[in-house]
Amino acid sequence: MQLAHDSIRRPVPQTSTQVRRPSHRERDRFVGFAFAAADLLIETDAKGTILFSAGARCRLTEGDVAGLVGSSLLDVVAPNDRKYVTVLFKRIQDKGRIKPARVVFQGCDGNRFPALLGGCRLDSCPGSLFLTVLLASGPRNTNEALAAAGQLLDGNAFSHILEDRILKAREKGLDNALTLLLIDGLQSMVDALPEGAASEVMQGIEAYLRAISANGDSAGQLATDRYGIVHASDIDGQEVQDHITQIIQSVGGELPGGIRTWSLDVSDERLDPADAARALVYTVQAFASAQGGEFTISSLEDGAKRMLSDAVDRIGRLRATIEKRDFFVVYQPIVDIGTRTVHHLEALTRVEGMPSPADFITFAEDVGLIYDFDLLLTQSVLDTMHAHRKEPTLPDVAINLSAKTLMSPIFLRQFLAVTEPYGELARKLLVEVTETVVVTDIAKLNEVLQKLRAAGFRICLDDVGAGSTSFQSLYGIQADFAKIDGHFVRGAVNNGRDMAMLRSIVDVCGQLGLGLIGEQVEGPEHAQLLTELGVPLAQGYLYSRPSRDFAYFAKDWAKMAGTGGKVLRKG
């Protein structure tokens, strides 16, 4: 970048006091530092009128950047970001300095591009703001695209970036904080305001929260009246409340509820950084989804603190369970209804001291530890199969993996790394997919599953018909088996609606070429019904309860397969 010295000189006011003037060398050194950190240097007045400009054109002008002098910086900012930049100007005046924040500019060719805008004010130059513009790469993902479009992140996007922001802050020693914001009655107030005033309030809140957030892209709207912001620790809750109150009052609005903020500790030392971040993400998601009186102005403070503390404790116990392998596996057979022989086993998790694993698994999914647990479960089952590998006919085993686990970008590689040492023995595993309702991209899930099938693993879809695996999932996913939700199997005996649903499931799965398994078969009437509908396989207490005794099924498998003997019920 060529820059003449004269283009950066500013007249020095004469005073009666003799002041040491910097030498040319000192001046050039400071100029060098400035341009090492930015592509463009701009001086404006408090309203954004450009007083001085030097550096690269940054696509803002076709001619020399000095031609920007006299125009408003807001004129080259994308319309959606102008209110946001105005807030940044105010923060420079109030705080003295802001760290570079993502801003979308509008080039002279009409195209928009992101850049980082930083700035400070100097007491020696009252009335001026000194700004730096550093060109940034385009948005790398949907979350950055939302921020670049002048919008707050939605709840899912905010949760997605939150863990990354917190971890980076702790790794770099940044003094960041996380604040939850509740504006009680915001929606009803906005609905009552004239259209222009309503837009002014919402845009004002969005601009302010983006302006105080880390990098200008770390704020999200979690619900109609709830927000989350990752920001520098010099911002306190009272400041946030006061500023939003001013925005509402400026248009004559009156909030029927109140405004409350709550700051979360992002540096809890009880957990390692990753698990501490997970506890915060879990708490934010609970805050976003809480209904009715769970979070009110009066209950927010105590309730939120208690929730975070509980999350930290539970994650600590969950991590200890995983690391100490403080769980065990029970096996329940899936049986051929006609011959009453074992087709394969399902591996089910049991955790010491917990009557039901459902809460354990759900919490592990919510906090992102299910991946570690599922890999450990896979290895545990394979170790058991390896110990019984010399049995004449070793049963195949289904392991449950949630769709959330399978959608992890690194899980597939880790899963294949865990199973590879077991060779052909690993191909006796079936992957039973649960919770497909949480997947918004069925095609992507199917892509992962086809990679597993190509590697020799068979796929079973769990709970078909229960909502977690819908007909849309059935059509979008190529699998080998479908397990019919037990509600319909038991209900169809006496309920016409359940029977109609059951017939539909059987028909669709048959057309798709899926092997069918009926769940919760507890009496002969359930088995008879499935037989009449053409469902060949069943699972339930009629045949066997889950048992830790894998050897029982491994040893008796050959005998039963050869004789058609009845599977005994095991406790």
Side-chain angles (χ1 to χ4, degrees):
M1 175 171 57
Q2 297 295 322
L3 188 65
H5 289 320
D6 289 344
S7 68
I8 60 173
R9 290 191 183 126
R10 288 181 51 79
V12 180
Q14 299 294 319
T15 66
S16 59
T17 304
Q18 186 68 28
V19 179
R20 176 182 176 275
R21 296 181 181 181
S23 67
H24 285 289
R25 175 62 178 163
E26 289 174 324
R27 182 198 63 197
D28 289 348
R29 180 181 294 121
F30 286 120
V31 170
F33 288 150
F35 280 111
D39 295 300
L40 178 63
L41 306 179
I42 296 175
E43 178 188 355
T44 75
D45 64 15
K47 294 183 178 179
T49 301
I50 298 175
L51 307 176
F52 168 81
S53 178
R57 291 194 299 270
C58 297
R59 298 162 54 188
L60 297 179
T61 176
E62 293 181 352
D64 190 275
V65 292
L68 293 172
V69 173
S71 63
S72 173
L73 180 66
L74 294 178
D75 289 341
V76 293
V77 171
N80 285 351
D81 268 12
R82 288 172 185 169
K83 185 179 288 290
Y84 161 54
V85 171
T86 301
V87 177
L88 291 179
F89 286 166
K90 181 67 165 55
R91 288 193 59 73
I92 296 173
Q93 296 174 59
D94 293 343
K95 298 290 184 179
R97 176 176 177 270
I98 63 166
K99 294 181 179 180
R102 183 179 288 269
V103 171
V104 179
F105 285 90
Q106 187 159 283
C108 57
D109 57 1
N111 293 320
R112 299 178 183 182
F113 61 93
L116 297 177
L117 178 70
C120 68
R121 61 171 172 77
L122 301 175
D123 292 338
S124 59
C125 299
S128 287
L129 304 180
F130 297 90
L131 310 174
T132 61
V133 177
L134 176 64
L135 293 178
S137 59
R140 294 184 296 272
N141 53 46
T142 303
N143 299 333
E144 288 188 0
L146 283 170
Q151 301 176 26
L152 295 177
L153 303 175
D154 61 25
N156 289 333
F158 183 74
S159 293
H160 183 77
I161 63 101
L162 182 56
E163 186 172 338
D164 178 66
R165 295 287 192 277
I166 294 169
L167 285 174
K168 284 184 178 177
R170 290 187 64 169
E171 289 170 359
K172 297 179 180 179
L174 302 178
D175 197 13
N176 280 358
L178 168 63
T179 291
L180 298 180
L181 168 65
L182 172 67
I183 309 177
D184 197 21
L186 174 64
Q187 190 61 54
S188 59
M189 181 200 69
V190 168
D191 291 341
L193 287 173
E195 183 175 345
S199 297
E200 187 72 17
V201 167
M202 296 307 296
Q203 291 173 12
I205 291 174
E206 290 184 7
Y208 172 69
L209 295 183
R210 286 183 62 207
I212 66 173
S213 74
N215 301 323
D217 61 359
S218 304
Q221 184 168 12
L222 311 178
T224 55
D225 58 356
R226 299 169 211 184
Y227 299 83
I229 316 102
V230 178
H231 56 80
S233 60
D234 63 345
I235 298 167
D236 60 41
Q238 191 58 53
E239 174 188 342
V240 175
Q241 293 179 42
D242 291 345
H243 194 99
I244 291 177
T245 298
Q246 292 173 13
I247 292 172
I248 292 171
Q249 291 177 347
S250 69
V251 297
E254 185 174 347
L255 198 64
I259 302 174
R260 193 67 172 268
T261 55
W262 169 47
S263 292
L264 296 172
D265 182 7
V266 302
S267 58
D268 196 306
E269 298 299 330
R270 288 176 287 174
L271 301 174
D272 67 30
D275 284 351
R278 290 184 176 107
L280 287 166
V281 172
Y282 177 78
T283 304
V284 168
Q285 290 174 336
F287 170 74
S289 61
Q291 301 294 319
E294 292 181 66
F295 275 102
T296 64
I297 292 298
S298 61
S299 70
L300 176 61
E301 192 75 21
D302 292 339
K305 286 182 177 179
R306 188 165 53 250
M307 181 179 296
L308 178 58
S309 179
D310 288 347
V312 169
D313 290 342
R314 290 181 69 186
I315 287 177
R317 293 196 300 271
L318 176 58
R319 174 63 70 185
T321 297
I322 293 173
E323 292 179 350
K324 296 178 182 178
R325 297 197 176 204
D326 196 13
F327 66 92
F328 60 93
V329 180
V330 295
Y331 298 89
Q332 188 174 28
I334 285 78
V335 175
D336 183 298
I337 298 176
T339 64
R340 300 179 76 87
T341 56
V342 176
H343 182 272
H344 67 272
L345 306 178
E346 180 181 5
L348 303 166
T349 304
R350 298 292 184 263
V351 181
E352 297 287 356
M354 292 187 183
S356 169
D359 290 343
F360 174 87
I361 296 298
T362 299
F363 184 71
E365 289 180 339
D366 289 342
V367 299
L369 286 175
I370 192 64
Y371 317 116
D372 296 345
F373 183 77
D374 280 347
L375 289 171
L376 192 57
L377 172 65
T378 300
Q379 187 175 40
S380 179
V381 169
L382 284 170
D383 285 344
T384 299
M385 295 173 69
H386 184 264
H388 296 86
R389 66 189 182 282
K390 294 183 180 179
E391 295 297 333
T393 308
L394 188 70
D396 297 344
V397 180
I399 55 173
N400 288 282
L401 299 181
S402 73
K404 188 173 183 179
T405 290
L406 291 164
M407 293 291 281
S408 166
I410 63 173
F411 181 81
L412 180 61
R413 175 163 40 88
Q414 292 175 327
F415 179 79
L416 294 176
V418 166
T419 57
E420 191 273 335
Y422 296 89
E424 286 305 309
L425 182 65
R427 303 307 178 266
K428 294 184 73 64
L429 288 180
L430 288 81
V431 173
E432 195 163 308
V433 185
T434 64
E435 298 298 329
T436 57
V437 71
V438 303
V439 178
T440 56
D441 191 344
I442 292 294
K444 183 177 179 181
L445 174 60
N446 185 56
E447 181 181 338
V448 173
L449 295 178
Q450 298 322 302
K451 290 179 181 178
L452 284 172
R453 294 181 84 200
F457 299 96
R458 287 156 295 165
I459 305 298
C460 177
L461 300 179
D462 193 21
D463 294 329
V464 172
S468 58
T469 303
S470 64
F471 284 124
Q472 180 184 0
S473 302
L474 285 174
Y475 279 110
I477 295 174
Q478 292 173 271
D480 302 285
F481 297 95
K483 185 176 284 187
I484 304 169
D485 183 68
H487 168 82
F488 298 108
V489 175
R490 290 182 288 107
V493 174
N494 298 308
N495 187 300
R497 293 175 65 87
D498 286 336
M499 175 61 83
M501 188 66 184
L502 181 57
R503 289 185 184 279
S504 296
I505 294 170
V506 171
D507 182 54
V508 170
C509 290
Q511 292 183 44
L512 295 175
L514 296 169
L516 282 169
I517 304 167
E519 285 185 313
Q520 298 182 23
V521 177
E522 299 179 354
E525 68 278 13
H526 302 138
Q528 179 63 32
L529 175 63
L530 291 175
T531 299
E532 292 172 357
L533 291 174
V535 177
L537 304 175
Q539 178 180 9
Y541 288 175
L542 176 64
Y543 305 105
S544 175
R545 292 179 178 274
S547 171
R548 297 181 68 168
D549 189 3
F550 182 88
Y552 166 79
F553 297 112
K555 292 180 183 301
D556 283 8
W557 160 263
K559 181 179 68 175
M560 289 185 294
T563 65
K566 181 178 180 180
V567 180
L568 300 178
R569 186 177 300 184
K570 296 281 289 183

